[in-house]
Amino acid sequence: IVDLCSGSSGPLPVLRDRLEARRWGVSVVLTDKYPHLAAYQAVEACSGGRVRYRSQAVDATAVPPDLAGVRTLFASLHHFKPEQVRAILADAARQRCGIGVFEGTERRFRALVMTAVMAPLFALGAALVIRPFRWGRLFWTYLVPVIPLVTLWDGLVSCLRTYSLDELRDLAQSVSVQDYVWET
C-alpha cells in the first residue's frame, strides 16, 4: 500500500496491523509532498519497520514508478481542485495501480452541524491529553480559544470541499484510460 498525502501517518499503521492479524501481509509506505519525517520515523520505529516512509517529496499527481502498489488517500482528496483530482486518478490508471479514496466528511447539512458541534469539543478535550504537555496549548485552547475556532473552521471547510459520489464518478469517468475500471 502506498499512502499518498499521509500527513503525520493517518490510519494505515492500525489498518496494516489489522490486515496482518488476518494473515494478509502487506507492506505500507507513507508519502507526502511535505513529509513529516519525525512522525514517520516514530511510526516506523513503533511498527518495527513494517510501516516505512519515503523521505523525499511525493506529488500525488505524479507518483514515482518505483512506488508500486495500491494507492490510498485518507481524508485528503478534498484538498485538491478537480483538475488535480483528475491528474491523481489518471496517474494511478496510467501506472495500472489501484487507488482507494476515503473521506470522513461530506457536503451535507447534517455533517456541517455535527462538525460545528464536535470539532470544538474535540479540540477542548484533546488539549488535555496531547503529549508532550504544553501550557501554551491550554492558553490557546481555553483562555483565548483560537485552537477550537481553527479546528471548527478547518472542519467546516473540509465538509464544504468534499466531493460527492456523483462528482467523484464524473471525475473518474473523465479520465480515459483503456481497460481501467472505476467504482464509487
Side-chain angles (χ1 to χ4, degrees), residues 19-147:
L19 291 171
E20 185 175 273
R22 293 184 176 194
R23 303 196 193 291
W24 293 3
V26 296
S27 64
V28 172
V29 179
L30 305 175
T31 71
D32 203 285
K33 190 168 187 176
Y34 306 100
H36 191 311
L37 296 180
Y40 292 173
Q41 290 164 351
V43 168
E44 184 176 68
C46 287
S47 73
R50 293 185 305 272
V51 175
R52 297 173 295 117
Y53 63 92
R54 174 67 65 104
S55 59
Q56 299 85 12
V58 173
D59 181 350
T61 65
V63 177
D66 66 304
L67 284 173
V70 174
R71 298 174 184 183
T72 58
L73 289 103
F74 286 93
S76 56
L77 195 72
H78 65 269
H79 292 283
F80 293 95
K81 295 178 180 173
E83 60 272 9
Q84 294 170 308
V85 173
R86 277 189 207 90
I88 290 168
L89 299 175
D91 187 64
R94 206 173 21 258
Q95 293 192 45
R96 313 306 289 173
C97 293
I99 185 167
V101 175
F102 307 92
E103 292 280 351
T105 54
E106 58 183 333
R107 198 174 54 224
R108 294 184 183 206
F109 180 75
R110 184 182 65 140
L112 290 166
V113 171
M114 289 297 293
T115 300
V117 172
M118 298 306 294
L121 290 176
F122 173 79
L124 292 169
L128 297 172
V129 296
I130 294 175
R131 300 291 175 245
F133 176 82
R134 292 198 169 84
W135 287 106
R137 186 179 308 114
L138 296 182
F139 176 81
W140 293 111
T141 300
Y142 298 108
L143 295 178
V144 182
V146 171
I147 293 174

